Amino acid sequence: MQSNEKTVLVTRPAHQSDHLCGLLTAAGFTPIRYPTIAIQAVENTAHISNTLYQHSNYDYLIFISANAVIQADRLIDHQWQKTPSGMIAIGPKTADTLDQLGLKPAITAAKPFNSERLLTQLPSDLKQKKGLIIKGKGGRTLLAEQLQKRGMTVDTLDVYQRTLPNNYKTSRIKKPAYITITSQLALDNLFLIPPRPIGELKQQCTFVVFSERLARYASSLDCQHLLISHGASDKGLVSAISQDKKR
């Protein structure tokens, strides 16, 4: 089957795909919703609830994603008391989610909205400071390691986990022109789900990824056609596709 140059496979979790799909539609593309990750809340243990309820003891609260904000808010039953002046968001989507809860971030990581960029926005000396990184299970450890090297006492708290969608065994897709990839796990799971030969996707589709790091990883999996987003955002993904010279 010939791929349609206007079709874009959107692998974001189902509850987070509306914005990207809307932007794609407005730009003249046909989005195909195909979540490769499902977000599941973790069990609210005594350790998790105690840590969250004692959030005012930290100098910095660092939210890695919008999902981290949503799940932490649920686990704390929306009972945010005195929040630290050093509330931090990795990227604008996370910052917007905090704003919706009345939790104004003091620092939002600038483009390309990742840990490396955030580290350039923080002091080099963080001795006597205490930080809590709120995130999902797994993922990179670079931020915590680098903050510890600067003298910060760092705790991490996993408030959600990423899994395969429940219907992945019965899912079917038609070959798209583009596939948006916003995390390494999204790409790994994509190759677990489709019934069509994986090699066909790798050779014939263009993978639109959030960063150079993700591009290198996709290349290591033999993905042949790669586009790097103009910033780790939905607008950046759409901009990269719209300006693709191969179209």
Side-chain angles (χ1 to χ4, degrees):
M1 179 177 178
Q2 295 295 317
S3 65
N4 184 329
E5 68 171 10
K6 291 288 190 178
T7 57
V8 183
L9 196 74
V10 175
T11 61
R12 278 193 178 283
H15 69 288
Q16 293 181 313
S17 63
D18 286 350
H19 184 252
L20 177 55
C21 289
L23 291 177
L24 286 166
T25 300
F29 296 96
T30 302
I32 304 170
R33 297 171 188 259
Y34 194 74
T36 61
I37 295 175
I39 302 299
Q40 292 184 350
V42 298
E43 181 182 356
N44 191 1
T45 64
H47 168 68
I48 290 175
S49 60
N50 289 340
T51 302
L52 285 173
Y53 280 116
Q54 294 173 18
H55 58 269
S56 60
N57 293 337
Y58 292 91
D59 300 293
Y60 293 92
L61 287 185
I62 305 173
F63 293 89
I64 297 297
S65 66
N67 283 317
V69 177
I70 293 167
Q71 295 302 329
D73 184 59
R74 181 188 65 81
L75 290 165
I76 203 173
D77 198 24
H78 322 295
Q79 296 182 38
W80 299 96
Q81 304 301 324
K82 181 182 177 181
T83 56
S85 58
M87 184 167 287
I88 296 173
I90 299 281
K93 183 170 290 187
T94 305
D96 288 345
T97 307
L98 284 168
D99 280 336
Q100 291 170 17
L101 298 175
L103 304 172
K104 183 69 176 177
I107 300 173
T108 299
K111 287 185 177 180
F113 313 131
N114 57 22
S115 297
E116 288 87 345
R117 187 65 180 88
L118 174 61
L119 287 165
T120 69
Q121 298 172 242
L122 293 174
S124 58
D125 185 356
L126 290 167
K127 294 182 178 67
Q128 309 302 318
K129 299 297 183 182
K130 189 175 181 181
L132 176 64
I133 299 176
I134 302 175
K135 64 185 192 67
K137 286 187 176 180
R140 305 170 72 201
T141 59
L142 180 141
L143 181 59
E145 292 168 355
Q146 292 301 313
L147 291 175
Q148 288 170 341
K149 287 182 179 180
R150 297 184 187 187
M152 180 186 286
T153 299
V154 179
D155 294 328
T156 61
L157 195 66
D158 296 335
V159 295
Y160 67 94
Q161 57 189 345
R162 294 165 288 244
T163 65
L164 279 169
N166 290 332
N167 65 337
Y168 79 95
K169 291 182 179 179
T170 59
S171 296
R172 296 291 185 272
I173 61 172
K174 295 179 181 179
K175 185 179 63 187
Y178 297 92
I179 301 175
T180 62
I181 298 295
T182 56
S183 70
Q184 183 172 313
L185 182 62
L187 184 60
D188 288 338
N189 284 358
L190 174 67
F191 295 144
L192 294 176
I193 296 174
R196 72 169 50 252
I198 291 173
E200 186 176 338
L201 294 177
K202 292 182 178 181
Q203 293 170 16
Q204 299 181 22
C205 300
T206 297
F207 292 81
V208 193
V209 300
F210 256 4
S211 65
E212 291 276 1
R213 178 178 58 84
L214 268 178
R216 290 193 296 271
Y217 181 72
S219 181
S220 75
L221 297 181
D222 297 323
C223 298
Q224 301 298 305
H225 308 288
L226 298 167
L227 278 178
I228 298 175
S229 171
H230 300 168
S233 67
D234 291 345
K235 288 183 178 179
L237 291 169
V238 176
S239 177
I241 296 171
S242 297
Q243 297 177 31
D244 181 21
K245 294 179 180 180
K246 293 181 180 179
R247 291 185 54 242

